[in-house]
Amino acid sequence: MSLSFYWYPKCGTCRNAKKWLDENQVDYKAIHIVEEPPSASELLSWMETSDLPAKKFFNTSGKKYRELNLKERINDLSQQEMAKILASDGMLIKRPVLTDGEKVTVGFKEDIYESVWK
């Protein structure tokens, strides 16, 4: 199982997730989410695969989210529009994202990592 771990190294939650992966000897490829943001089509695929609402993929506490006034606009956007916006800037994406192409987790909660990735 080849995992892609989209993270931002300065993010404490991402570092905690990486530490968990390393401690549990989970094999993954680390991808800097700002330098190599996922494409809109990848994001759409994740949205469909994850069973999470599309707006869960947004980093709602981020500066860019506030600058774009997305809180006011998000409920009027289609999934395609959300994916396009997310793909435009990795800082808009809630992180970390971990996927094997079939399963996707967004953010880091140890119990979820335990049940999905161990």
Side-chain angles (χ1 to χ4, degrees), residues 1 10 16 24 46 49 57 60 70 75 78 106-107 114 117:
M1 168 169 68
K10 293 180 182 174
N16 290 338
N24 287 277
W46 296 349
T49 306
F57 283 84
T60 57
L70 287 167
N75 291 325
S78 69
V106 179
E114 284 281 336
W117 304 117

Side-chain angles (χ1 to χ4, degrees), residues 1-4 42 45-51 98-105 116-117:
M1 168 169 68
S2 177
L3 294 176
S4 294
E42 284 176 296
S45 171
W46 296 349
M47 289 173 188
E48 292 164 10
T49 306
S50 70
D51 290 329
L98 188 58
T99 183
D100 64 1
E102 295 176 17
K103 299 179 297 244
V104 180
T105 56
V116 177
W117 304 117

